[in-house]
């Protein structure tokens, strides 16, 4: 019995000396393992007489249980110490000031201008349409009454893609948003085909456009917004009213004038450039060109799949970058496309 007590004491000491789970398992083997001290005592039982076997056996069992209890206690203590150490290592100092997000993204000024344009025309009942930037020759030119080999095609000289369309002509990066007049009107005409009457077409189509051009006011990629209003009785005065309302809302002032200056586009007749003049502010008194426009040419109405005797309307195509430059007072168009955060963060 005495010897047994010693064994529990030395097991406790050995367990206490183990500072990791692995060390504790090693210490356990010395007492409870196959060649451990308790197992050795069990082996000695074999040689004892029956009566002694019983008492000695029970004694060894109690000893074993006592050592196991020591082991459990040490295991629990080690686990708790480990948890404490982990909590300490991962401690948060809740008294530190919070970290601000480095920078919130924001809408690009051109995107902002587009959203304004969509909202303003939306309020006047215009739908907003979106279409391909890679176009066929027919949509970019022919459908817009721009005959093959006509010099007017060079007004919108663009980039070509190394892939041909169904007519064997190279696909182009659309030089203007005008193809969307045709695409939208065709879909509209198809939708109401065979019906006695068709609701008016009233749509804008903002998006990217491409031309072989590059300087402070021209970029090879730029943005336009196309407008189209076609019905049975739509005239130039509607264009004037709609466009004036648009620029007034876009620039948030009634103190501006419009001028319609005769011009030429193959897809409108008559055609006009729209110039705008502010009555006050830094740009006061200068005519600024903001849009091409005109009454949709009857051939274009036919190419839309509509009866040119019945339907008439107007179209315009405005440079969004130009409008954004005027609204935000940006002098160089290229600033919009350089991705310089010092410039862009001013629009946050
Ligand atoms: N597509 C013409 C351009 O890019 C603008 C325009 C659109 C003119 C619609 C008239 C009507 O210059």
């Amino acid at each position: 019995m005495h010897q047994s007590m010693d064994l529990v004491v030395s097991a406790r000491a050995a367990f206490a000396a183990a500072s990791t789970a692995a060390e504790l398992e090693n210490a356990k083997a010395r007492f409870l393992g196959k060649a451990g001290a308790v197992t050795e005592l069990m082996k000695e039982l074999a040689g004892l007489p029956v009566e002694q076997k019983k008492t000695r056996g029970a004694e060894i069992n109690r000893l074993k249980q006592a050592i196991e209890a020591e082991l459990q206690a040490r295991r629990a203590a080690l686990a708790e110490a480990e948890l404490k150490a982990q909590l300490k290592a991962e401690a948060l100092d809740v008294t530190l000031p919070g970290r601000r997000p480095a920078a919130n993204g924001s809408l690009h000024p051109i995107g902002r201008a587009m959203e304004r344009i969509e909202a303003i025309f939306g309020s006047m009942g215009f739908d907003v349409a979106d279409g391909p930037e890679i176009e066929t020759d027919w949509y970019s030119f022919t459908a817009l009454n721009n005959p093959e080999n006509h010099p007017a095609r060079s007004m919108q000289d663009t980039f070509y893609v190394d892939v041909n369309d169904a007519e064997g002509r190279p696909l182009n990066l659309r030089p203007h948003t005008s193809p969307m007049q045709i695409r939208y009107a065709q879909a509209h005409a198809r939708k109401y085909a065979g019906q006695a009457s068709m609701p008016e077409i009233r749509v804008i189509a903002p998006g990217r456009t491409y031309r072989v051009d590059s300087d402070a006011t021209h970029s090879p990629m730029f943005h336009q917004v196309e407008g189209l209003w076609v019905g049975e009785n739509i005239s130039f005065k509607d264009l004037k009213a709609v466009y004036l309302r648009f620029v007034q809302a876009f620039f948030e002032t009634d103190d501006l004038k419009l001028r319609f200056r005769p011009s030429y586009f193959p897809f409108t007749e008559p055609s006009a450039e729209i110039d705008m003049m502010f009555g006050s502010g830094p740009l006061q008194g200068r005519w600024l060109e903001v849009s091409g426009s005109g009454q949709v040419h009857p051939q274009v109405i036919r190419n839309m799949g509509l009866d040119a005797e019945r339907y008439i309307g107007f179209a315009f195509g405005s440079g969004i970058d130009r409008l954004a430059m005027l609204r935000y007072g940006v002098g160089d168009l290229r600033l919009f496309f350089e991705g310089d955060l010092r410039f862009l963060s001013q629009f946050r």
Side-chain angles (χ1 to χ4, degrees):
M1 193 63 207
H2 202 74
Q3 175 204 22
S4 305
M5 281 312 295
D6 284 352
L7 210 50
V8 175
V9 170
S10 54
R12 184 188 298 149
F15 296 160
S19 57
T20 66
E23 280 172 28
L24 185 60
E25 291 313 302
N26 282 337
K28 170 195 167 185
R30 289 209 329 263
F31 295 92
L32 302 171
K34 269 188 189 146
V38 175
T39 317
E40 290 305 318
L41 293 179
M42 294 282 215
K43 283 179 191 160
E44 285 169 15
L45 276 182
L48 295 179
V50 181
E51 268 317 299
Q52 268 184 315
K53 245 187 204 168
K54 262 194 182 167
T55 45
R56 185 66 182 143
E59 214 177 281
I60 297 174
N61 257 336
R62 277 196 299 279
L63 174 67
K64 192 178 170 197
Q65 279 164 10
I67 293 176
E68 273 171 351
E70 290 296 335
L71 178 69
Q72 271 318 111
R74 185 60 185 148
R75 270 197 187 132
L78 277 181
E80 197 183 311
E82 195 186 330
L83 181 66
K84 269 194 184 141
Q86 191 185 349
L87 287 176
K88 198 176 167 197
E90 292 174 1
L92 294 178
D93 183 350
V94 293
T95 66
L96 283 176
R99 253 175 251 147
R100 285 178 185 283
N104 276 326
S106 63
L107 215 52
H108 190 279
I110 298 296
R112 285 217 337 206
M114 279 192 183
E115 285 198 345
R116 286 182 67 77
I117 293 167
E118 289 171 17
I120 295 164
F121 279 104
S123 77
M124 293 191 276
F126 281 73
D127 192 10
V128 178
D130 203 11
E133 289 170 33
I134 301 176
E135 267 296 6
T136 65
D137 191 82
W138 193 78
Y139 279 109
S140 279
F141 300 109
T142 312
L144 292 162
N145 199 34
N146 214 328
E148 286 161 39
N149 306 321
H150 191 287
R153 280 200 176 202
S154 64
M155 282 169 79
Q156 289 116 356
D157 197 11
T158 187
F159 299 97
Y160 290 89
V161 178
D162 234 0
V163 174
N164 288 351
D165 62 23
E167 294 176 327
R169 298 178 181 284
L171 293 171
N172 59 73
L173 298 188
R174 63 179 183 187
H176 50 185
T177 42
S178 299
M180 282 307 294
Q181 287 186 36
I182 310 290
R183 286 188 178 275
Y184 187 90
Q186 276 184 329
H188 191 87
R190 249 183 266 121
K191 190 166 161 192
Y192 296 100
Q195 299 192 17
S197 71
M198 172 189 94
E200 287 179 350
I201 294 169
R202 213 183 295 169
V203 65
I204 60 162
R208 274 187 281 268
T209 47
Y210 303 84
R211 281 188 211 174
V212 185
D213 246 346
S214 188
D215 60 39
T217 52
H218 296 89
S219 153
M221 188 282 301
F222 59 107
H223 300 83
Q224 283 193 337
V225 55
E226 196 75 11
L228 178 68
W229 188 352
V230 170
E232 295 191 10
N233 191 21
I234 309 299
S235 77
F236 230 93
K237 75 174 196 299
D238 298 305
L239 168 61
K240 287 186 165 180
V242 160
Y243 210 85
L244 181 64
R245 184 71 206 106
F246 161 61
V247 283
Q248 285 176 340
F250 188 81
F251 292 105
E252 293 176 277
T253 175
D254 288 349
D255 191 12
L256 49 75
K257 273 190 266 186
L258 289 186
R259 170 173 86 177
F260 287 77
R261 183 163 42 86
S263 185
Y264 171 77
F265 297 101
F267 34 93
T268 46
E269 181 59 35
S271 304
E273 299 288 349
I274 307 178
D275 298 337
M276 187 187 86
M277 186 163 79
F278 290 104
S280 58
L283 293 163
Q284 172 186 9
R286 273 170 51 199
W287 284 113
L288 309 159
E289 186 180 316
V290 287
S291 190
S293 69
Q295 183 170 300
V296 182
H297 193 289
Q299 185 54 44
V300 175
I301 295 280
R302 282 190 285 276
N303 292 340
M304 290 170 171
L306 297 174
D307 180 356
E309 298 296 319
R310 183 167 175 186
Y311 293 105
I312 189 165
F314 65 77
F316 61 83
S318 312
I320 294 179
D321 316 281
R322 194 75 207 290
L323 290 168
M325 283 170 82
L326 294 173
R327 177 168 165 88
Y328 300 121
V330 174
D332 190 329
L333 174 67
R334 290 169 290 202
L335 285 168
F336 283 135
F337 308 125
E338 282 168 354
D340 188 331
L341 284 177
R342 289 169 301 179
F343 172 73
L344 294 176
S345 61
Q346 295 175 51
F347 298 90
R348 274 226 291 274

